[in-house]
PDB file of all heavy atoms in Angstrom:
ATOM      1  N   ALA A   3     134.652  -5.630 118.932  1.00  0.00           N
ATOM      2  CA  ALA A   3     134.202  -5.062 120.206  1.00  0.00           C
ATOM      3  C   ALA A   3     135.257  -4.156 120.814  1.00  0.00           C
ATOM      4  O   ALA A   3     134.940  -3.072 121.329  1.00  0.00           O
ATOM      5  CB  ALA A   3     133.851  -6.199 121.175  1.00  0.00           C
ATOM      6  N   VAL A   4     136.509  -4.584 120.763  1.00  0.00           N
ATOM      7  CA  VAL A   4     137.593  -3.792 121.331  1.00  0.00           C
ATOM      8  C   VAL A   4     137.769  -2.486 120.557  1.00  0.00           C
ATOM      9  O   VAL A   4     137.931  -1.411 121.149  1.00  0.00           O
ATOM     10  CB  VAL A   4     138.903  -4.605 121.336  1.00  0.00           C
ATOM     11  CG1 VAL A   4     140.093  -3.712 121.655  1.00  0.00           C
ATOM     12  CG2 VAL A   4     138.813  -5.737 122.356  1.00  0.00           C
ATOM     13  N   ALA A   5     137.727  -2.567 119.233  1.00  0.00           N
ATOM     14  CA  ALA A   5     137.886  -1.369 118.411  1.00  0.00           C
ATOM     15  C   ALA A   5     136.783  -0.358 118.710  1.00  0.00           C
ATOM     16  O   ALA A   5     137.042   0.843 118.873  1.00  0.00           O
ATOM     17  CB  ALA A   5     137.877  -1.741 116.931  1.00  0.00           C
ATOM     18  N   ALA A   6     135.552  -0.826 118.802  1.00  0.00           N
ATOM     19  CA  ALA A   6     134.429   0.071 119.078  1.00  0.00           C
ATOM     20  C   ALA A   6     134.546   0.697 120.457  1.00  0.00           C
ATOM     21  O   ALA A   6     134.289   1.900 120.644  1.00  0.00           O
ATOM     22  CB  ALA A   6     133.109  -0.690 118.947  1.00  0.00           C
ATOM     23  N   ALA A   7     134.950  -0.102 121.444  1.00  0.00           N
ATOM     24  CA  ALA A   7     135.058   0.402 122.814  1.00  0.00           C
ATOM     25  C   ALA A   7     136.163   1.446 122.945  1.00  0.00           C
ATOM     26  O   ALA A   7     135.988   2.462 123.632  1.00  0.00           O
ATOM     27  CB  ALA A   7     135.307  -0.752 123.774  1.00  0.00           C
ATOM     28  N   LEU A   8     137.293   1.219 122.310  1.00  0.00           N
ATOM     29  CA  LEU A   8     138.399   2.176 122.383  1.00  0.00           C
ATOM     30  C   LEU A   8     138.050   3.478 121.672  1.00  0.00           C
ATOM     31  O   LEU A   8     138.394   4.571 122.135  1.00  0.00           O
ATOM     32  CB  LEU A   8     139.663   1.556 121.797  1.00  0.00           C
ATOM     33  CG  LEU A   8     140.308   0.467 122.667  1.00  0.00           C
ATOM     34  CD1 LEU A   8     141.379  -0.280 121.886  1.00  0.00           C
ATOM     35  CD2 LEU A   8     140.903   1.067 123.940  1.00  0.00           C
ATOM     36  N   ALA A   9     137.341   3.377 120.552  1.00  0.00           N
ATOM     37  CA  ALA A   9     136.904   4.586 119.854  1.00  0.00           C
ATOM     38  C   ALA A   9     135.940   5.379 120.734  1.00  0.00           C
ATOM     39  O   ALA A   9     136.044   6.606 120.846  1.00  0.00           O
ATOM     40  CB  ALA A   9     136.240   4.217 118.530  1.00  0.00           C
ATOM     41  N   HIS A  10     135.016   4.670 121.371  1.00  0.00           N
ATOM     42  CA  HIS A  10     134.045   5.324 122.249  1.00  0.00           C
ATOM     43  C   HIS A  10     134.718   5.946 123.465  1.00  0.00           C
ATOM     44  O   HIS A  10     134.251   6.965 123.997  1.00  0.00           O
ATOM     45  CB  HIS A  10     132.991   4.313 122.694  1.00  0.00           C
ATOM     46  CG  HIS A  10     131.913   4.897 123.548  1.00  0.00           C
ATOM     47  ND1 HIS A  10     130.930   5.729 123.038  1.00  0.00           N
ATOM     48  CD2 HIS A  10     131.659   4.789 124.888  1.00  0.00           C
ATOM     49  CE1 HIS A  10     130.125   6.110 124.019  1.00  0.00           C
ATOM     50  NE2 HIS A  10     130.541   5.561 125.143  1.00  0.00           N
ATOM     51  N   ALA A  11     135.843   5.361 123.891  1.00  0.00           N
ATOM     52  CA  ALA A  11     136.549   5.845 125.089  1.00  0.00           C
ATOM     53  C   ALA A  11     137.467   7.020 124.800  1.00  0.00           C
ATOM     54  O   ALA A  11     138.154   7.506 125.703  1.00  0.00           O
ATOM     55  CB  ALA A  11     137.340   4.707 125.720  1.00  0.00           C
ATOM     56  N   GLY A  12     137.520   7.458 123.545  1.00  0.00           N
ATOM     57  CA  GLY A  12     138.272   8.673 123.244  1.00  0.00           C
ATOM     58  C   GLY A  12     139.546   8.500 122.458  1.00  0.00           C
ATOM     59  O   GLY A  12     140.337   9.449 122.349  1.00  0.00           O
ATOM     60  N   ALA A  13     139.771   7.321 121.880  1.00  0.00           N
ATOM     61  CA  ALA A  13     140.960   7.144 121.042  1.00  0.00           C
ATOM     62  C   ALA A  13     140.882   8.077 119.838  1.00  0.00           C
ATOM     63  O   ALA A  13     139.809   8.294 119.264  1.00  0.00           O
ATOM     64  CB  ALA A  13     141.071   5.691 120.574  1.00  0.00           C
ATOM     65  N   ALA A  14     142.015   8.635 119.459  1.00  0.00           N
ATOM     66  CA  ALA A  14     142.042   9.563 118.329  1.00  0.00           C
ATOM     67  C   ALA A  14     141.895   8.845 116.999  1.00  0.00           C
ATOM     68  O   ALA A  14     141.327   9.378 116.040  1.00  0.00           O
ATOM     69  CB  ALA A  14     143.347  10.357 118.347  1.00  0.00           C
ATOM     70  N   GLU A  15     142.404   7.616 116.942  1.00  0.00           N
ATOM     71  CA  GLU A  15     142.360   6.831 115.704  1.00  0.00           C
ATOM     72  C   GLU A  15     142.361   5.357 116.061  1.00  0.00           C
ATOM     73  O   GLU A  15     143.101   4.935 116.952  1.00  0.00           O
ATOM     74  CB  GLU A  15     143.575   7.162 114.826  1.00  0.00           C
ATOM     75  CG  GLU A  15     143.718   6.301 113.594  1.00  0.00           C
ATOM     76  CD  GLU A  15     145.026   6.561 112.865  1.00  0.00           C
ATOM     77  OE1 GLU A  15     145.070   7.516 112.070  1.00  0.00           O
ATOM     78  OE2 GLU A  15     146.000   5.815 113.100  1.00  0.00           O
ATOM     79  N   VAL A  16     141.537   4.581 115.383  1.00  0.00           N
ATOM     80  CA  VAL A  16     141.509   3.131 115.590  1.00  0.00           C
ATOM     81  C   VAL A  16     141.598   2.446 114.238  1.00  0.00           C
ATOM     82  O   VAL A  16     140.738   2.634 113.374  1.00  0.00           O
ATOM     83  CB  VAL A  16     140.229   2.675 116.321  1.00  0.00           C
ATOM     84  CG1 VAL A  16     140.239   1.155 116.491  1.00  0.00           C
ATOM     85  CG2 VAL A  16     140.094   3.357 117.683  1.00  0.00           C
ATOM     86  N   ARG A  17     142.653   1.688 114.058  1.00  0.00           N
ATOM     87  CA  ARG A  17     142.818   0.888 112.840  1.00  0.00           C
ATOM     88  C   ARG A  17     142.633  -0.579 113.194  1.00  0.00           C
ATOM     89  O   ARG A  17     143.082  -1.038 114.244  1.00  0.00           O
ATOM     90  CB  ARG A  17     144.210   1.070 112.234  1.00  0.00           C
ATOM     91  CG  ARG A  17     144.466   2.432 111.622  1.00  0.00           C
ATOM     92  CD  ARG A  17     145.812   2.433 110.906  1.00  0.00           C
ATOM     93  NE  ARG A  17     146.919   2.313 111.840  1.00  0.00           N
ATOM     94  CZ  ARG A  17     148.023   1.589 111.623  1.00  0.00           C
ATOM     95  NH1 ARG A  17     148.141   0.862 110.520  1.00  0.00           N
ATOM     96  NH2 ARG A  17     148.998   1.569 112.519  1.00  0.00           N
ATOM     97  N   VAL A  18     141.998  -1.330 112.310  1.00  0.00           N
ATOM     98  CA  VAL A  18     141.808  -2.761 112.506  1.00  0.00           C
ATOM     99  C   VAL A  18     142.448  -3.480 111.326  1.00  0.00           C
ATOM    100  O   VAL A  18     142.171  -3.153 110.169  1.00  0.00           O
ATOM    101  CB  VAL A  18     140.320  -3.137 112.611  1.00  0.00           C
ATOM    102  CG1 VAL A  18     140.163  -4.649 112.778  1.00  0.00           C
ATOM    103  CG2 VAL A  18     139.670  -2.401 113.777  1.00  0.00           C
ATOM    104  N   ALA A  19     143.323  -4.435 111.606  1.00  0.00           N
ATOM    105  CA  ALA A  19     144.014  -5.178 110.560  1.00  0.00           C
ATOM    106  C   ALA A  19     143.758  -6.668 110.740  1.00  0.00           C
ATOM    107  O   ALA A  19     143.804  -7.183 111.854  1.00  0.00           O
ATOM    108  CB  ALA A  19     145.517  -4.899 110.608  1.00  0.00           C
ATOM    109  N   SER A  20     143.501  -7.349 109.648  1.00  0.00           N
ATOM    110  CA  SER A  20     143.199  -8.779 109.679  1.00  0.00           C
ATOM    111  C   SER A  20     144.289  -9.566 108.971  1.00  0.00           C
ATOM    112  O   SER A  20     144.932  -9.065 108.037  1.00  0.00           O
ATOM    113  CB  SER A  20     141.852  -9.027 108.986  1.00  0.00           C
ATOM    114  OG  SER A  20     141.678 -10.401 108.691  1.00  0.00           O
ATOM    115  N   ARG A  21     144.467 -10.800 109.406  1.00  0.00           N
ATOM    116  CA  ARG A  21     145.438 -11.668 108.725  1.00  0.00           C
ATOM    117  C   ARG A  21     145.011 -11.988 107.297  1.00  0.00           C
ATOM    118  O   ARG A  21     145.818 -12.467 106.497  1.00  0.00           O
ATOM    119  CB  ARG A  21     145.625 -12.964 109.520  1.00  0.00           C
ATOM    120  CG  ARG A  21     146.393 -12.775 110.819  1.00  0.00           C
ATOM    121  CD  ARG A  21     146.580 -14.093 111.544  1.00  0.00           C
ATOM    122  NE  ARG A  21     145.313 -14.602 112.057  1.00  0.00           N
ATOM    123  CZ  ARG A  21     145.154 -15.827 112.551  1.00  0.00           C
ATOM    124  NH1 ARG A  21     146.176 -16.672 112.561  1.00  0.00           N
ATOM    125  NH2 ARG A  21     143.983 -16.214 113.023  1.00  0.00           N
ATOM    126  N   ARG A  22     143.773 -11.713 106.963  1.00  0.00           N
ATOM    127  CA  ARG A  22     143.288 -11.924 105.593  1.00  0.00           C
ATOM    128  C   ARG A  22     143.607 -10.739 104.680  1.00  0.00           C
ATOM    129  O   ARG A  22     143.399 -10.817 103.467  1.00  0.00           O
ATOM    130  CB  ARG A  22     141.780 -12.178 105.595  1.00  0.00           C
ATOM    131  CG  ARG A  22     141.375 -13.468 106.303  1.00  0.00           C
ATOM    132  CD  ARG A  22     139.926 -13.826 106.000  1.00  0.00           C
ATOM    133  NE  ARG A  22     138.996 -12.865 106.574  1.00  0.00           N
ATOM    134  CZ  ARG A  22     138.427 -13.013 107.772  1.00  0.00           C
ATOM    135  NH1 ARG A  22     138.720 -14.068 108.503  1.00  0.00           N
ATOM    136  NH2 ARG A  22     137.578 -12.113 108.222  1.00  0.00           N
ATOM    137  N   ASP A  23     144.086  -9.628 105.262  1.00  0.00           N
ATOM    138  CA  ASP A  23     144.404  -8.452 104.459  1.00  0.00           C
ATOM    139  C   ASP A  23     145.650  -8.703 103.608  1.00  0.00           C
ATOM    140  O   ASP A  23     146.569  -9.427 104.014  1.00  0.00           O
ATOM    141  CB  ASP A  23     144.659  -7.239 105.361  1.00  0.00           C
ATOM    142  CG  ASP A  23     143.416  -6.813 106.127  1.00  0.00           C
ATOM    143  OD1 ASP A  23     142.306  -7.209 105.717  1.00  0.00           O
ATOM    144  OD2 ASP A  23     143.558  -6.101 107.129  1.00  0.00           O
ATOM    145  N   ASP A  24     145.691  -8.064 102.450  1.00  0.00           N
ATOM    146  CA  ASP A  24     146.842  -8.234 101.553  1.00  0.00           C
ATOM    147  C   ASP A  24     148.120  -7.666 102.146  1.00  0.00           C
ATOM    148  O   ASP A  24     149.226  -8.136 101.829  1.00  0.00           O
ATOM    149  CB  ASP A  24     146.554  -7.559 100.211  1.00  0.00           C
ATOM    150  CG  ASP A  24     145.453  -8.265  99.435  1.00  0.00           C
ATOM    151  OD1 ASP A  24     145.250  -9.473  99.659  1.00  0.00           O
ATOM    152  OD2 ASP A  24     144.789  -7.599  98.629  1.00  0.00           O
ATOM    153  N   ASP A  25     147.998  -6.641 102.970  1.00  0.00           N
ATOM    154  CA  ASP A  25     149.193  -5.985 103.511  1.00  0.00           C
ATOM    155  C   ASP A  25     149.529  -6.453 104.930  1.00  0.00           C
ATOM    156  O   ASP A  25     150.184  -5.747 105.688  1.00  0.00           O
ATOM    157  CB  ASP A  25     149.036  -4.469 103.488  1.00  0.00           C
ATOM    158  CG  ASP A  25     147.830  -3.999 104.293  1.00  0.00           C
ATOM    159  OD1 ASP A  25     147.014  -4.858 104.707  1.00  0.00           O
ATOM    160  OD2 ASP A  25     147.702  -2.781 104.507  1.00  0.00           O
ATOM    161  N   TRP A  26     149.084  -7.657 105.286  1.00  0.00           N
ATOM    162  CA  TRP A  26     149.454  -8.219 106.590  1.00  0.00           C
ATOM    163  C   TRP A  26     150.925  -8.638 106.577  1.00  0.00           C
ATOM    164  O   TRP A  26     151.388  -9.203 105.588  1.00  0.00           O
ATOM    165  CB  TRP A  26     148.580  -9.433 106.903  1.00  0.00           C
ATOM    166  CG  TRP A  26     148.916 -10.095 108.209  1.00  0.00           C
ATOM    167  CD1 TRP A  26     149.787 -11.137 108.399  1.00  0.00           C
ATOM    168  CD2 TRP A  26     148.411  -9.741 109.495  1.00  0.00           C
ATOM    169  NE1 TRP A  26     149.852 -11.458 109.722  1.00  0.00           N
ATOM    170  CE2 TRP A  26     149.022 -10.621 110.426  1.00  0.00           C
ATOM    171  CE3 TRP A  26     147.531  -8.779 109.956  1.00  0.00           C
ATOM    172  CZ2 TRP A  26     148.758 -10.560 111.788  1.00  0.00           C
ATOM    173  CZ3 TRP A  26     147.256  -8.721 111.302  1.00  0.00           C
ATOM    174  CH2 TRP A  26     147.854  -9.596 112.207  1.00  0.00           C
ATOM    175  N   PRO A  27     151.693  -8.386 107.632  1.00  0.00           N
ATOM    176  CA  PRO A  27     151.310  -7.701 108.867  1.00  0.00           C
ATOM    177  C   PRO A  27     151.367  -6.189 108.691  1.00  0.00           C
ATOM    178  O   PRO A  27     152.163  -5.672 107.911  1.00  0.00           O
ATOM    179  CB  PRO A  27     152.361  -8.185 109.859  1.00  0.00           C
ATOM    180  CG  PRO A  27     153.581  -8.418 109.037  1.00  0.00           C
ATOM    181  CD  PRO A  27     153.076  -8.936 107.710  1.00  0.00           C
ATOM    182  N   PRO A  28     150.549  -5.449 109.426  1.00  0.00           N
ATOM    183  CA  PRO A  28     150.523  -3.994 109.290  1.00  0.00           C
ATOM    184  C   PRO A  28     151.717  -3.357 109.992  1.00  0.00           C
ATOM    185  O   PRO A  28     152.386  -3.983 110.813  1.00  0.00           O
ATOM    186  CB  PRO A  28     149.216  -3.605 109.994  1.00  0.00           C
ATOM    187  CG  PRO A  28     149.058  -4.660 111.039  1.00  0.00           C
ATOM    188  CD  PRO A  28     149.567  -5.932 110.416  1.00  0.00           C
ATOM    189  N   ASP A  29     151.959  -2.109 109.672  1.00  0.00           N
ATOM    190  CA  ASP A  29     153.000  -1.328 110.335  1.00  0.00           C
ATOM    191  C   ASP A  29     152.412  -0.728 111.609  1.00  0.00           C
ATOM    192  O   ASP A  29     151.495   0.078 111.558  1.00  0.00           O
ATOM    193  CB  ASP A  29     153.488  -0.227 109.397  1.00  0.00           C
ATOM    194  CG  ASP A  29     154.630   0.593 109.993  1.00  0.00           C
ATOM    195  OD1 ASP A  29     155.039   0.296 111.136  1.00  0.00           O
ATOM    196  OD2 ASP A  29     155.083   1.537 109.330  1.00  0.00           O
ATOM    197  N   GLY A  30     152.940  -1.117 112.747  1.00  0.00           N
ATOM    198  CA  GLY A  30     152.435  -0.607 114.017  1.00  0.00           C
ATOM    199  C   GLY A  30     153.349   0.394 114.672  1.00  0.00           C
ATOM    200  O   GLY A  30     153.181   0.698 115.865  1.00  0.00           O
ATOM    201  N   ALA A  31     154.304   0.939 113.923  1.00  0.00           N
ATOM    202  CA  ALA A  31     155.305   1.826 114.521  1.00  0.00           C
ATOM    203  C   ALA A  31     154.705   3.082 115.125  1.00  0.00           C
ATOM    204  O   ALA A  31     155.213   3.610 116.118  1.00  0.00           O
ATOM    205  CB  ALA A  31     156.356   2.207 113.467  1.00  0.00           C
TER     206      ALA A  31
END
């Protein structure tokens, strides 16, 4: 819900990362 709302509000890019992903934790720099 948050990802969709931020994209709709004009964010240039929205990435979603899950703890189930192989590359967790993601780079947030």
Side-chain angles (χ1 to χ4, degrees):
V4 168
L8 288 168
H10 183 72
E15 173 187 276
V16 179
R17 290 187 292 141
V18 178
S20 165
R21 288 182 291 169
R22 295 193 293 267
D23 295 342
D24 292 335
D25 59 350
W26 178 268
D29 183 0

